[in-house]
Amino acid sequence: MTTENAPSRGTAQGQPTPTPGEFAMRFTSTPRGARLARRLVAHRLAAWGYPYDSGPNATATLITSELAANAVRHGRVPGRDFHVRLTAPVGGDLAGTIRIEVSDTRAEGRPAPTATAAAPDAETGRGLYLVSRLAERWAVGPRPGGGPGKTVWAEIATGSKPSDRSGPFQRP
């Protein structure tokens, strides 16, 4: 399932009014599904005007990677997929917010904010710390529409133009 909104709608004066782009898709709860989610988010953002090497694309891709990996590792229910939804402003000089949502079907085990980085020799514990440092805000909530499970979402600011923010992982 993939959905995408048109980049703009007309106004009474005939000028386009930018609307957010939207991409949504289900993925298998496997490492391969998590990799595909990351790649498709990067590709979709590039198609919307956020080049692969721009800060918003690199940051959103990393956050997607961490949230999708957590959905596979901690939120997996056999036979159930996880869902990714991406929204971003598109069309010219529009400033706004990129929002990444990853939903899985396991309601228990909600992630908690991580205040400190993991120990240097730890094998886990860095993902949500990275998300908390890169995102403007993030949280966990119920799945939209009342489905089983939870949704972890994160938002990042885009700046004044998608191409203005160069370099990966720059937090506004």
Side-chain angles (χ1 to χ4, degrees):
M1 173 183 109
T2 303
T3 60
E4 183 175 353
N5 290 342
S8 63
R9 296 184 185 136
T11 64
Q13 295 81 21
Q15 297 296 319
T17 303
T19 59
E22 181 177 355
F23 168 78
M25 189 170 201
R26 289 186 323 207
F27 298 90
T28 60
S29 290
T30 62
R32 184 177 184 188
R35 284 191 306 272
L36 182 58
R38 179 188 70 229
R39 290 186 61 145
L40 289 178
V41 163
H43 177 71
R44 182 60 55 201
L45 287 170
W48 289 340
Y50 301 90
Y52 290 107
D53 61 350
S54 70
N57 191 313
T59 302
T61 300
L62 176 64
I63 289 172
T64 301
S65 178
E66 295 299 337
L67 297 182
N70 282 351
V72 169
R73 185 171 197 172
H74 304 291
R76 182 177 182 273
V77 173
R80 300 286 179 117
D81 297 337
F82 71 93
H83 185 263
V84 174
R85 181 174 174 265
L86 171 72
T87 58
V90 295
D93 294 333
L94 184 65
T97 301
I98 294 174
R99 182 177 172 107
I100 304 110
E101 300 174 3
V102 177
S103 301
D104 62 53
T105 54
R106 179 160 285 169
E108 67 275 4
R110 290 179 174 241
T114 306
T116 59
D121 59 344
E123 294 183 17
T124 62
R126 291 178 181 81
L128 288 177
Y129 178 73
L130 288 173
V131 170
S132 71
R133 300 298 296 167
L134 295 172
E136 293 296 315
R137 62 195 149 273
W138 74 277
V140 182
R143 280 185 79 138
K150 64 187 169 295
T151 297
V152 182
W153 59 266
E155 295 178 340
I156 61 170
T158 62
S160 59
K161 289 195 322 191
S163 59
D164 278 352
R165 306 254 332 269
S166 62
F169 315 123
Q170 294 180 358
R171 184 173 183 198

